[in-house]
Amino acid sequence: MLISAFILGLISSLHCVGMCGPIAMMLPVDHQNEVKKVTQIITYHLGRLTAYSIIGLIFGLLGRGFFLAGMQQKMSIFIGIGMILVVLIPEKIFAKYNFSKPVYKVISNIKSTLGSQFKKKSYKSLFTIGLLNGFLPCGMVYVALFGAIAMQSAGFGVLYMLLYGLGTIPLMTIVVYIHSLLKLPFRNKIQKAIPYVAVVIGVLFILRGLGLGIPYVSPANMSLFVQSSPNCH
């Protein structure tokens, strides 16, 4: 199931480019020194990965709570359904109910701090930009968080979000170098594939929770990583 995190990050990076691409394009990197530019971009990505890891830790601990309560299989089904709903329900419906309103002030502060960092050109500011970027609301990150919960442990929750972040790096790096690659027609084509990928991953989580006895896909009486009862007698 961990590989699904990297695939989700790789495919959803087009969505990330649409939302966070302008941030990557405006990074205060040194365009005259290619070596320094690479290290600066890496620093920015390290900030993003740190944010994703922190989020993965929090939601992995939440998933661990469900695991200890013996709800892991039901939770896997619920999470799979949640993944599918997030990508199928139009964004305007979420906007209508304004689920982010309770944390609007926090998000506003993050954006304000983020803007101030672009005036600096230090490695610290680049790391901070990446860190704050990682905490900004994003539909595809929400999908990945469902996966982190299903990992049933803090460590695997971190790893799941880390792999998701690694999947977004290639395209988020390319956008710094080649803006023309991300023209609207190209983005639209890839954007259409994102819901299908998220649905497939959601279905995998549902199958895992159903325990149908299908090796590797839906093992009977098993959690995501360990058997709930031993085979030995």
Side-chain angles (χ1 to χ4, degrees), residues 1-10 83 147 151 160 163-164 197 200-202 204-205:
M1 298 302 290
L2 286 171
I3 191 64
S4 69
F6 182 80
I7 294 173
L8 181 62
L10 196 62
M83 283 182 167
M151 292 299 101
Y160 193 91
L163 287 171
Y164 170 81
V197 175
V200 168
I201 293 174
L204 287 175
F205 275 101

Side-chain angles (χ1 to χ4, degrees), residues 97-176:
Y97 291 99
N98 198 11
F99 294 111
S100 63
K101 189 175 182 179
V103 292
Y104 178 77
K105 186 174 182 180
V106 175
I107 295 171
S108 180
N109 289 335
I110 290 176
K111 289 182 177 180
S112 178
T113 305
L114 187 60
S116 66
Q117 294 299 315
F118 284 99
K119 300 175 182 178
K120 307 172 185 178
K121 293 187 177 181
S122 66
Y123 283 97
K124 181 180 178 181
S125 66
L126 285 162
F127 181 85
T128 302
I129 290 171
L131 184 69
L132 295 174
N133 189 177
F135 284 120
L136 288 176
C138 172
M140 297 312 299
V141 171
Y142 297 157
V143 173
L145 287 180
F146 280 120
I149 293 174
M151 292 299 101
Q152 307 167 2
S153 78
F156 280 112
V158 171
L159 183 57
Y160 193 91
M161 290 305 297
L162 188 60
L163 287 171
Y164 170 81
L166 288 172
T168 67
I169 286 179
L171 196 54
M172 288 295 286
T173 300
I174 290 174
V175 72
V176 180

Side-chain angles (χ1 to χ4, degrees), residues 3-157:
I3 191 64
S4 69
F6 182 80
I7 294 173
L8 181 62
L10 196 62
I11 298 297
S12 68
S13 58
L14 243 296
H15 178 80
C16 295
V17 166
M19 298 296 293
C20 306
I23 293 177
M25 293 177 188
M26 295 188 298
L27 287 177
V29 297
D30 188 344
H31 294 283
Q32 305 302 318
N33 187 326
E34 284 300 321
V35 175
K36 187 176 181 181
K37 182 177 180 180
V38 169
T39 59
Q40 289 174 325
I41 293 173
I42 290 174
T43 302
Y44 162 71
H45 287 312
L46 286 175
R48 291 175 58 242
L49 292 177
T50 300
Y52 291 147
S53 297
I54 293 172
I55 296 171
L57 174 63
I58 295 171
F59 283 85
L61 286 171
L62 179 61
R64 179 62 178 172
F66 288 118
F67 173 70
L68 293 175
M71 298 171 59
Q72 62 270 27
Q73 285 188 288
K74 292 180 180 178
M75 183 52 54
S76 184
I77 295 173
F78 172 79
I79 285 170
I81 294 172
M83 283 182 167
I84 295 171
L85 290 178
V86 166
V87 296
L88 293 185
I89 296 176
E91 288 187 13
K92 61 182 180 181
I93 293 181
F94 286 109
K96 178 181 178 181
Y97 291 99
N98 198 11
F99 294 111
S100 63
K101 189 175 182 179
V103 292
Y104 178 77
K105 186 174 182 180
V106 175
I107 295 171
S108 180
N109 289 335
I110 290 176
K111 289 182 177 180
S112 178
T113 305
L114 187 60
S116 66
Q117 294 299 315
F118 284 99
K119 300 175 182 178
K120 307 172 185 178
K121 293 187 177 181
S122 66
Y123 283 97
K124 181 180 178 181
S125 66
L126 285 162
F127 181 85
T128 302
I129 290 171
L131 184 69
L132 295 174
N133 189 177
F135 284 120
L136 288 176
C138 172
M140 297 312 299
V141 171
Y142 297 157
V143 173
L145 287 180
F146 280 120
I149 293 174
M151 292 299 101
Q152 307 167 2
S153 78
F156 280 112

